[in-house]
Amino acid sequence: MSGENRIQAEVIPFEGKQEMIGCQKGTARFCDRQVILILSGLMLILLLPPVFSAGADPAEPIVARRPDVSETTGTGLSLSAEALAEQAKSSVVAVSFAGRDGQQAGLGTGFVISADGLIATNLHVIGEARPISVQFMDGKKYDVKEVYATDRQMDLAVLKVDAEDLMPLPLAEPDSLKQGAEVIALGNPQGLRYSVVKGVNSGTREIDGKPMIQLAIPIEPGNSGGPVLDAQGYVQGIVTLKSAVTRNLGYAVNISALKVLLEKPNPVPMNRWLTIGTLDERHWKPLFGSRWRQRAGRIMVEGFGSGLGSRSLCVSQEDLPAIPYEIAVEVKLDDESGAAGLIFYSDENTKHYGFYPSNQSLRISRFDGSDVFLWRVLEEKKSNSYREGEWNQLKVRLETDRILCFVNDEQIFEIKDQRYTQGKAGLAKFRNTVAAFRGFQVAREIAPYRPSKETAQKILDLTEDLRVDRPPHAELIEEVVKETDEKRAQQALQERARLLTKQAERLQQLAQSIHERVVRDDLQQLFKKQKESEIDLLTAALLVARLDNAEVEVKTYLNQVAGMANEIQKTLPADASPKVKLKALNDYLFQETGFHGSRTNYYSRSNSYINETIEDREGLPITLAILYMELGSKLGLDIEGVGLPGHFVVRVNSTAEKGELVDVFERGEVVSEDAARAIIVSANSGRFDEEFLKAQPKKEIIKRMLRNLLNLARDDEDVQAMLRYVETMIAIDEDLLQERWLRAVLRYQTGRITEAIADADFLLEKSPEGFDLRRIQEFRDYLETVKSTE
């Protein structure tokens, strides 16, 4: 294709990759790649640019340190399995974690990797937010004092115990294990201490995106976290999975992943580890065992409770209004033979009422104590309004003389029982039920869960002629938004989808489009503020996450970050200087709570969602920087974002005359001016540009986040997601002409022909410099022919 037929796109590295941003021909700051649109006859092909960093060789390996392990520990000679087992037994430990009752709840394996107390194992072996201990063959037992490093993607963890002069196992060099080589695996299968199995390396496989060593070897529960040794005694891998097909097949994480993790650990002291995934004690009080945790807007529970009927409670600590009032929650059971739902009038012990689904029926029960004879089922019946396997809203209305129970707005019970009339509200689960809850609320009156008949009819009328061979029109989305709110629209459309299977996909698209529209509207409102200081960057970043996950509750995370800032503030004297505040911020994030840059799974979309960065304590430079800026602002520090090409940093203006560049991804390391210049020059074709050192406006920061997600969606060939991110960028910055051209193509590819024509008409009217208008006209003419055949 000749040069005049190309439309150039400026690209900047996506935090280590390239991200495409809008520019016109001849006006780009720098252009490493081109987006090429080829129109040949009636065929359109969109070729998107590769995503390797402009300033780094992506194939260059990361060299990890080998912590305190002697290079000469291995003999260099092949040893028998017996000799290897004898040599390694003092280095292998049993790893266990405690349950809520303090008793052992899990058992796996680990091994010593440094003489001063570092022990490697699997992340799944140590559970979450539980006390952990390790025991050696000689009976010595140590409580874990710190989770030194974790990698959720690779299922790795490194523990720290207070011990010295331990015997570490030597770590092998990368790719030194040949296919067919003999290996042994050491562990504690089925709780049996120190077992040895022998086998061979049968090859390498990718399991769930992780490169694994495939072992022809029997693997059992308890082997997880154990070392895989080669014939010279070097650790080649860490046992992680067993085959679901055959007993004599297992998988181990390659030891190179552990080395990468050790290069940049993310230590979390046990007092902080015990808070990971747990509910905020200011709002919830778990009782009677089981494991209650919170993630992405949901409260989840699993495991047997110790109360009556293997019951476990989670009592809300919120103040309740005067009667009458209502309590509601949405619940979803993994297995409909289980039971989980609402409790009310609870004494925060064994007495309360409960309303919940159980064995495909709905029940209201009264619990008068811990004895089985003090448990009374008041009423039980089935309801067609309850949808098995789906989310269902349970609601209770408490009045002076009665209790009304509803499922999905249908009244199920009216109870006159008056044994208890005061107490807390909350959640309950029974037996070994695995359940999830969302949307817990208490109010004088809670709005109906499902749309009214009038609203449902309006939506049905609007969608009556919805075609199954194309997505909904933009005009239709606009009409539905005007008629009702997002939640009501989604519910009505999803109900119709169950009845009209041929329209189901398009109805789901309409519901998603409405959600995206609402999020984009919220973002637009944020950026309409005139002053930069009035724009809430954290809220904007949370809305970006909500764009992909409707369950992200912005207010929940705003409150969580405010709580983090309060924790830091409590450690500061009243007259703390900016330097003291900055140190307290760094200590809290990187030492106490273990926030760190994500490395082994850098390009996961999770790293671009700031709610998951907060939950998992790892993320990209830009998400970590936004959290850092928000916390700093609440402490009275002046911190601004600086968008170096391919690597986002912050400038702390409160600590130096010119401001100090800080790399949050690297645990708060200061970036010298020379280093910043080198990054710019390397990514900018050898040229230095002062613009890159200027503070980025908040709108540009959010656009950069969206471009990161756009690149990831492009890698996954997820055209719908690409369109979602481009639509959002244009919503907050309508001058993005290059993105508008990309949106036209994406709309065509997803069957949105009318909308694609509108974008082509817009570009033809604007006639922007650097665009091949002849090609755009050809594209528009082609779209008309497609539309005429619909």
Side-chain angles (χ1 to χ4, degrees), residues 671-738:
V671 181
S672 67
E673 185 174 341
D674 288 343
R677 285 175 172 268
I679 292 173
I680 295 169
V681 169
S682 175
N684 195 24
S685 303
R687 300 188 306 275
F688 174 73
D689 189 339
E690 190 76 29
E691 289 294 314
F692 285 114
L693 289 175
K694 293 183 179 179
Q696 276 203 328
K698 294 173 183 177
K699 181 186 288 188
E700 294 303 315
I701 293 174
I702 295 303
K703 284 158 58 178
R704 183 165 178 149
M705 291 183 74
L706 289 164
R707 289 188 183 106
N708 286 342
L709 287 165
L710 175 62
N711 275 321
L712 295 174
R714 178 188 60 197
D715 288 353
D716 296 336
E717 299 181 357
D718 188 343
V719 178
Q720 294 286 356
M722 289 176 66
L723 179 59
R724 179 162 65 248
Y725 304 136
V726 172
E727 293 268 21
T728 306
M729 279 189 276
I730 295 172
I732 62 177
D733 189 349
E734 60 183 14
D735 294 330
L736 295 178
L737 299 180
Q738 183 67 39

Side-chain angles (χ1 to χ4, degrees), residues 127-178:
E128 290 185 28
R130 300 296 182 90
I132 312 163
S133 62
V134 302
Q135 186 171 4
F136 286 79
M137 275 288 291
D138 61 6
K140 288 183 179 178
K141 189 172 183 179
Y142 298 88
D143 290 332
V144 173
K145 302 300 182 184
E146 181 181 77
V147 178
Y148 181 74
T150 58
D151 183 338
R152 192 172 299 276
Q153 173 66 17
M154 298 305 296
D155 193 19
L156 292 176
V158 179
L159 312 177
K160 181 74 169 68
V161 298
D162 284 343
E164 296 181 354
D165 300 322
L166 300 180
M167 295 295 294
L169 294 179
L171 308 185
E173 294 301 322
D175 303 319
S176 59
L177 185 65
K178 304 301 182 183

Side-chain angles (χ1 to χ4, degrees), residues 200-275:
V200 299
N201 168 29
S202 61
T204 58
R205 295 289 183 271
E206 186 169 295
I207 307 293
D208 294 331
K210 301 187 288 286
M212 308 285 279
I213 302 172
Q214 181 173 298
L215 305 170
I217 201 167
I219 300 295
E220 295 295 343
N223 276 122
S224 292
V228 176
L229 304 181
D230 61 23
Q232 287 73 46
Y234 285 92
V235 181
Q236 292 284 353
I238 301 175
V239 176
T240 301
L241 300 169
K242 67 171 292 185
S243 171
V245 179
T246 175
R247 180 175 177 273
N248 294 318
L249 186 63
Y251 299 92
V253 176
N254 195 297
I255 201 64
S256 61
L258 177 64
K259 291 185 174 184
V260 172
L261 179 61
L262 289 169
E263 186 184 40
K264 294 289 184 179
N266 50 302
V268 181
M270 285 308 296
N271 66 331
R272 288 289 178 180
W273 177 261
L274 297 177
T275 68

Side-chain angles (χ1 to χ4, degrees), residues 430-500:
F430 301 84
R431 303 188 290 278
N432 195 28
T433 303
V434 176
F437 301 87
R438 69 184 185 189
F440 179 82
Q441 52 185 318
V442 178
R444 296 300 298 269
E445 186 172 348
I446 295 172
Y449 179 63
R450 299 170 64 181
S452 66
K453 291 182 179 179
E454 293 76 15
T455 299
Q457 188 59 52
K458 286 180 182 178
I459 294 176
L460 287 173
D461 291 343
L462 288 170
T463 59
E464 189 65 36
D465 297 322
L466 184 68
R467 294 177 54 173
V468 299
D469 58 341
R470 57 148 294 148
H473 288 281
E475 294 82 3
L476 176 58
I477 296 170
E478 185 74 26
E479 287 183 88
V480 175
V481 169
K482 290 178 180 178
E483 291 293 342
T484 184
D485 61 68
E486 171 197 355
K487 186 174 182 179
R488 299 292 184 269
Q490 285 185 322
Q491 290 174 324
L493 294 169
Q494 288 167 357
E495 287 182 9
R496 187 181 179 197
R498 284 191 291 269
L499 299 174
L500 306 173

Side-chain angles (χ1 to χ4, degrees), residues 73-88 170 172 176-178 180-186 197-201 215 217 227-237:
T73 303
T75 64
L77 302 174
S78 295
L79 301 176
S80 67
E82 294 87 347
L84 288 170
E86 181 62 25
Q87 178 177 291
S176 59
L177 185 65
K178 304 301 182 183
E182 291 189 349
V183 294
I184 67 168
L186 310 175
V197 289
K198 183 178 179 180
V200 299
N201 168 29
L215 305 170
I217 201 167
V228 176
L229 304 181
D230 61 23
Q232 287 73 46
Y234 285 92
V235 181
Q236 292 284 353

Side-chain angles (χ1 to χ4, degrees), residues 115 131 342 353 449 462 512-513 525 544 646 678 714 720 751 761:
L342 283 170
Y353 291 95
Y449 179 63
L462 288 170
Q512 175 63 21
S513 296
Q525 289 301 315
V544 170
R714 178 188 60 197
Q720 294 286 356
D761 287 341

